[in-house]
Amino acid sequence: METDPNRWPGLTEAVAQQRLLDEGRNELPSSKPRGVLGTALDVVKEPMFLLLVACGALYLVLGDWKEALLLLGFVFLIMAITFIQERRTERALEALRDLSSPRALVIRDGQPRRIAGRDVARGDVLLLAEGDRVPADAVVLDAVSLSADESLLTGESVPVRKAPGEGDAPDAMGRPGGDDLPFVFSGTMIVQGRGVARALATGANSEIGHIGKALQTLIPEDSTLKKETGRLVRNLAILGAAMCAVVVVTYGLLHGSTAESWTQGALAGITLAMAILPEEFPVVLTVFLALGAWRISRNRVLTRRIPAIETLGAATVLCTDKTGTLTENRMTVARLWAGGSFLELEGSTAALPEAFHPVVEYGVLASQRDPVDPMERAIDDLGERALAGTEHDHAAWVLQREYPLSRELLALSRVWRSPDERQVEVAAKGAPEAIFDLCHLPEERRQDLTARVLQMADDGLRVLGVARAKVPPDGMPEGQHDFAFEMVGLLGLKDPVRATVPAAIQECYGAGIRVVMITGDYPGTARSIARTIGFQRPDSVITGPELDAMDDDTLKARIRDVDLFARVVPEQKLRLVQALKANGEVVAMTGDGVNDAPALKAAHIGIAMGGRGTDVAREAASLVLLDDDFTSIVAAIRLGRRIFDNLQKAMSYIFAIHVPIAGLSLIPVVAQWPLLLLPVHVVFLELIIDPSCTLVFEAEEAEQDVMQRPPRRHDAPLFGRRNLLLSLLQGLCVLGVSVGVFLYGRDVLEAGENAARGLAFATLIIANLSLIVTNRSRTLSAIRSLRTPNKPQWWVLGGGLSFLCLVLFVPFLQDLFKVELPQPLSLLGCLAAGASSVLVFEAFKAVMRHRGATSTR
């Protein structure tokens, strides 16, 4: 196929930019980020906002303007905090959208250029290759074995062949579906071959743009965590509403059924509802997962589906390919075989012996000019060093025809003509067994050559066969098998293991994650790499043909004990994923090719290669590895565990602090005490709770043992029984201490109502801040946690203490909060009591640390 820019000049940059201005960018209409008004409307719909408004209305009825204005001020403050959180989340998601923007290869100003898909203009000349997503509706101008998957538009999963348009290219698009038509459509996938096309319709004018509105109505299913959180919030909201009604009625009846008692009862009921309602849960979940995706992207891993972050920490098996993931994808030709002997090239600077010139010569001819593929680039580099200036240098030869690689024959052939048109040579390269087949070798010869191939593979080399042929007198045949090929030799290529991989493999083993290598290379190559990188079971291998011979039950049994799969074709990866899942494993799978997509979609976590991967693979995957590095996967798993840990800590803290707030709202009603907490107190506490659970816990570094413990169960709830009990215990301790301080102030110190309330409130604030510190880690003591860096913590602790001092020492705020300044000794007692409320949890952590230390001896 000719892709000469002189034949297909494309648009100039100036014309393209003008068309983008006139017709709009090549993107479908999408929802715009919410502005200030949209965020404010969302806040208005929140139950907490409605409760605050109800409280403000009651204070207005009572004629208490100070309380009413203060609550309205808190409304605007909460709106500001919500807006900041929304913007943080939106910025993180916008960064991810920028990273995931598809790319397109076009000819602009006569030169091939890689641009963002949204910048493709009508009239652009597109260069399409296997695995690409078509960026616009276009007419095919030239093609070689071009096929596209148009199931997105037609529902038909079988790829359709594409043929160049005859004569003048049409100016209007046809309909999708059907073979040998000259049209390709935006959003469809090129699954085979290469082509040149001219864009005829972009954005909303494309075929997919016509159905864009229908596509936008699709709502993705909520994740497991979101469903669990939603159930919890719904149940607690129902409980809060019921308790609110009970408290209003109880308070009104117990206090004489006067108008004032009913008003005070309504305030008490609303306060209790505000205390029980955990409106932070959905906010925390959204912020953690969005910012978690952003954090993972900074480790060169793009999150395409947010729920994958939940699953990362539960992964038990990591299936990875070899080339470019475990290795550097920087091939060099390390060994040659020709004429019955080997030649070692690694580390050698000697001239290439004449006997080995043909294998390099035809290896170069069977490769692309200016290749991108690492193996072809290595062969091309060797050819430049060894053949330049010799009769074997064919830089001026012209490509006549290409026979591409296919699923049926893992070899390709290229036909070349010399400048004087006297010579026409055919060069083929591919999998050794495919080259043996092309050469129609007798069985004895095949066995001899297979032994050489296995010898090279056992040394960790990737082996390619090379063959040559002449064009028959009757012209170019239809298939490669119709040439009379002659075996030339073997090329052994080496791809160095990434230096960081062995340590990453051991980290996986320490984390209870099994690593499985799936490669198209020979078993010997797989074993050699596995030993180099430290596999626990490097010798047992299952090959692709053996895999085909097994039924599903046999494979399910065998796969428990085998970590290496060699000579595997992409279609077999799906069976491996299904077998692992059938054994109860949580599977992460890497892939880069068109045929990897089913396995990536079937895995719990599909990981596509961003550098060498195809758009098809990226579409099917949950994560995209931007640098194709295995260590980035391990870093993402580590971050996934950290995110889930911190999410659990934040949720536990929220649950724990709501227990004493609810208790201090309910107990005075039942015991016929003065109200200890008013709505203004609860809102003040929320101003500490909100930034704590969304900033302090989200910024917390991973626990030291995060990669030394087994994966959590995939179906393990976020609010497990143990977490709930620990949080309940923490909350009851804080409640008991706060009630004890109130009774001590009222009965022992004989302080007035406001003074006793001030003591209890100060104790609750200190206990709240102590809960933040102690819940930062499940293993470290609170003192150690304070020494561990966490900048948001100091802002929250400093802000909480500062506001408490203002409430206790400023007369205007004392009046609003209905508190009095405690005596200095009493205030110190509050500080000590509040801090001591977390001692039970600290003791629990100390016991767990002791058990852990004992078990490791």
Side-chain angles (χ1 to χ4, degrees):
M1 182 190 74
E2 185 179 349
T3 58
D4 184 359
N6 292 324
R7 183 181 177 192
W8 317 113
L11 300 179
T12 64
E13 188 65 31
V15 170
Q17 293 303 321
Q18 187 59 48
R19 287 191 181 176
L20 290 173
L21 287 174
D22 295 340
E23 303 174 7
R25 294 196 175 275
N26 181 32
E27 53 190 0
L28 298 178
S30 60
S31 58
K32 296 181 179 179
R34 286 179 298 172
V36 178
L37 182 60
T39 303
L41 290 175
D42 284 341
V43 174
V44 167
K45 294 184 289 187
E46 287 293 327
M48 180 63 73
F49 175 87
L50 298 176
L51 290 171
L52 285 173
V53 171
C55 286
L58 280 173
Y59 279 121
L60 287 175
V61 170
L62 295 173
D64 194 337
W65 288 91
K66 293 180 181 179
E67 288 281 2
L69 290 175
L70 181 65
L71 287 176
L72 289 175
F74 279 136
V75 167
F76 288 109
L77 187 56
I78 289 175
M79 287 176 66
I81 292 174
T82 305
F83 177 72
I84 291 170
Q85 290 171 340
E86 289 285 348
R87 291 307 303 155
R88 260 191 111 190
T89 303
E90 188 59 40
R91 280 196 299 269
L93 293 176
E94 189 62 41
L96 296 179
R97 282 193 287 269
D98 289 343
L99 283 171
S100 61
S101 176
R103 313 294 287 175
L105 186 60
V106 302
I107 296 178
R108 289 268 178 92
D109 294 320
Q111 297 295 325
R113 285 184 54 193
R114 183 77 65 177
I115 64 174
R118 65 196 297 266
D119 292 332
V120 171
R122 181 177 56 83
D124 263 324
V125 171
L126 313 173
L127 302 181
L128 304 173
E130 180 176 326
D132 287 348
R133 181 170 57 183
V134 180
D137 287 6
V139 59
V140 178
L141 305 176
D142 198 5
V144 172
S145 305
L146 190 67
S147 296
D149 176 3
E150 297 181 348
S151 57
L152 175 70
L153 299 174
T154 64
E156 178 56 59
S157 60
V158 177
V160 291
R161 293 189 308 272
K162 297 297 176 182
E166 297 181 1
D168 293 335
D171 295 326
M173 292 294 297
R175 300 290 299 170
D179 285 320
D180 299 321
L181 295 175
F183 303 108
V184 289
F185 297 87
S186 177
T188 62
M189 300 294 174
I190 302 300
V191 296
Q192 189 174 23
R194 292 176 290 125
V196 178
R198 176 173 284 112
L200 296 184
T202 61
N205 297 319
S206 65
E207 188 73 22
I208 194 173
H210 297 158
I211 59 174
K213 290 182 180 179
L215 293 176
Q216 286 181 338
T217 62
L218 295 176
I219 301 174
E221 184 180 355
D222 287 341
S223 66
T224 304
L225 277 185
K226 194 168 184 179
K227 290 177 181 177
E228 185 182 352
T229 304
R231 284 194 300 269
L232 182 67
V233 171
R234 183 187 65 243
N235 294 339
L236 288 178
I238 294 171
L239 175 63
M243 292 295 292
C244 175
V246 171
V247 165
V248 171
V249 174
T250 302
Y251 193 97
L253 294 175
L254 291 177
H255 290 78
S257 295
T258 64
E260 183 179 355
S261 67
W262 286 109
T263 303
Q264 290 295 321
L267 285 173
I270 292 173
T271 303
L272 180 61
M274 292 169 65
I276 293 177
L277 185 67
E279 82 287 349
E280 302 94 349
F281 284 160
V283 174
V284 167
L285 184 63
T286 302
V287 170
F288 266 62
L289 294 183
L291 292 180
W294 173 74
R295 288 187 185 278
I296 288 176
S297 73
R298 295 175 70 187
N299 281 268
R300 309 295 296 161
V301 179
L302 169 65
T303 305
R304 295 196 70 255
R305 295 180 176 85
I306 295 294
I309 297 174
E310 303 173 24
T311 316
L312 273 172
T316 60
V317 174
L318 176 53
C319 298
T320 176
D321 56 2
K322 177 183 71 67
T323 304
T325 308
L326 300 176
T327 61
E328 295 180 0
N329 203 19
R330 181 179 54 81
M331 288 284 192
T332 58
V333 180
R335 188 181 303 172
L336 301 175
W337 182 91
S341 62
F342 286 108
L343 176 68
E344 297 292 338
L345 296 179
E346 194 171 12
S348 174
T349 59
L352 190 69
E354 181 64 33
F356 293 92
H357 280 189
V359 67
V360 179
E361 172 188 356
Y362 286 94
V364 172
L365 286 175
S367 303
Q368 297 280 346
R369 286 268 170 84
D370 298 320
V372 176
D373 179 80
M375 288 192 295
E376 292 196 342
R377 195 162 57 237
I379 297 169
D380 191 63
D381 289 344
L382 176 60
E384 287 185 3
R385 293 197 311 270
L387 304 180
T390 72
E391 60 181 1
H392 304 284
D393 184 0
H394 302 303
W397 284 36
V398 179
L399 180 65
Q400 294 289 100
R401 182 167 176 177
E402 181 174 359
Y403 295 84
L405 196 79
S406 67
R407 296 185 184 90
E408 295 74 24
L409 184 65
L410 297 177
L412 60 85
S413 300
R414 311 187 89 208
V415 183
W416 295 88
R417 175 174 52 80
S418 65
D420 59 9
E421 300 188 3
R422 292 181 180 179
Q423 288 180 272
V424 180
E425 296 281 353
V426 185
K429 78 173 190 314
E433 56 267 35
I435 296 298
F436 301 162
D437 187 35
L438 282 179
C439 295
H440 305 291
L441 297 178
E443 186 60 31
E444 184 179 349
R445 177 73 168 149
R446 285 187 183 223
Q447 291 179 2
D448 179 62
L449 286 171
T450 299
R452 304 292 180 268
V453 170
L454 293 176
Q455 184 180 345
M456 297 170 77
D458 285 340
D459 292 333
L461 300 180
R462 181 150 191 189
V463 187
L464 294 177
V466 178
R468 65 185 174 192
K470 299 289 184 182
V471 174
D474 53 353
M476 300 285 184
E478 286 299 316
Q480 297 183 74
H481 270 293
D482 297 322
F483 288 106
F485 277 109
E486 166 193 357
M487 186 74 192
V488 176
L490 301 171
L491 293 161
L493 298 104
K494 186 173 185 180
D495 187 6
V497 170
R498 292 181 186 264
T500 53
V501 164
I505 294 288
Q506 297 311 310
E507 188 173 10
C508 286
Y509 289 146
I513 301 170
R514 175 183 165 199
V515 183
V516 173
M517 185 199 302
I518 303 173
T519 177
D521 280 338
Y522 282 87
T525 306
R527 289 191 189 97
S528 176
I529 296 292
R531 294 189 191 102
T532 302
I533 62 179
F535 260 44
Q536 291 178 340
R537 297 181 293 195
D539 297 321
S540 183
V541 182
I542 292 178
T543 65
E546 291 172 345
L547 191 63
D548 282 336
M550 295 180 190
D551 58 30
D552 289 342
D553 290 337
T554 304
L555 177 59
K556 182 180 172 182
R558 288 287 309 279
I559 205 170
R560 291 191 178 98
D561 305 314
V562 178
D563 294 335
L564 295 181
F565 296 85
R567 304 308 283 168
V568 171
V569 296
E571 291 86 345
Q572 294 174 318
K573 289 185 178 181
L574 178 59
R575 280 197 71 199
L576 295 175
V577 170
Q578 291 171 334
L580 289 166
K581 289 173 69 176
N583 285 336
E585 306 281 9
V586 178
V587 184
M589 164 69 79
T590 68
D592 59 3
V594 174
N595 295 330
D596 291 334
L600 293 174
K601 202 163 188 176
H604 295 100
I605 309 165
I607 305 171
M609 301 296 108
R612 57 191 165 85
T614 61
D615 278 342
V616 184
R618 287 191 284 268
E619 287 289 324
S622 305
L623 303 175
V624 177
L625 205 60
L626 298 179
D627 57 6
D628 297 359
D629 190 345
F630 179 82
T631 54
S632 296
I633 305 174
V634 181
I637 292 174
R638 190 186 308 114
L639 271 171
R641 290 190 174 193
R642 167 190 163 179
I643 291 165
F644 194 86
D645 274 4
N646 290 345
L647 190 56
Q648 279 193 322
K649 294 172 187 176
M651 298 296 192
S652 297
Y653 159 73
I654 293 169
F655 191 85
I657 190 58
H658 275 275
V659 171
I661 296 175
L664 290 175
S665 303
L666 180 62
I667 291 175
V669 175
V670 177
Q672 298 188 47
W673 299 344
L675 296 179
L676 290 183
L677 291 183
L678 302 173
V680 67
H681 299 121
V682 177
V683 175
F684 177 83
L685 284 161
E686 290 292 338
L687 294 179
I688 299 176
I689 295 170
D690 284 350
S692 299
C693 56
T694 55
L695 297 178
V696 176
F697 290 104
E698 196 281 327
E700 186 65 23
E701 291 297 326
E703 297 276 3
Q704 294 178 351
D705 68 339
V706 72
M707 291 297 279
Q708 280 85 50
R709 54 174 117 117
R712 63 178 175 83
R713 279 188 16 245
H714 181 42
D715 57 350
L718 179 64
F719 306 99
R721 183 179 301 174
R722 179 180 177 183
N723 284 336
L724 284 175
L725 289 176
L726 283 174
S727 299
L728 181 62
L729 179 61
Q730 290 183 73
L732 290 175
C733 288
V734 172
L735 175 61
V737 169
S738 301
V739 170
V741 168
F742 170 77
L743 293 176
Y744 180 80
R746 188 192 69 175
D747 299 338
V748 177
L749 299 180
E750 297 183 351
E753 177 184 321
N754 285 358
R757 181 185 291 115
L759 289 173
F761 184 63
T763 302
L764 181 59
I765 294 297
I766 300 301
N768 183 17
L769 299 178
S770 301
L771 279 176
I772 294 170
V773 176
T774 192
N775 277 285
R776 277 185 55 199
S777 175
R778 296 294 174 84
T779 56
L780 300 179
S781 67
I783 302 298
R784 289 277 302 277
S785 291
L786 282 171
R787 295 174 183 171
T788 304
N790 187 315
K791 289 182 180 179
Q793 168 194 255
W794 296 108
W795 285 102
V796 170
L797 295 183
L801 290 173
S802 299
F803 287 141
L804 176 61
C805 290
L806 290 174
V807 169
L808 294 179
F809 290 96
V810 176
F812 172 73
L813 292 177
Q814 289 177 0
D815 185 43
L816 283 177
F817 279 80
K818 303 295 187 294
V819 298
E820 291 180 6
L821 177 64
Q823 296 295 322
L825 287 178
S826 301
L827 187 57
L828 289 175
C830 291
L831 296 176
S836 68
S837 64
V838 299
L839 290 179
V840 172
F841 188 55
E842 286 295 304
F844 171 79
K845 289 196 289 185
V847 171
M848 297 306 294
R849 284 197 301 271
H850 176 72
R851 287 183 179 177
T854 303
S855 65
T856 57
R857 289 174 186 169

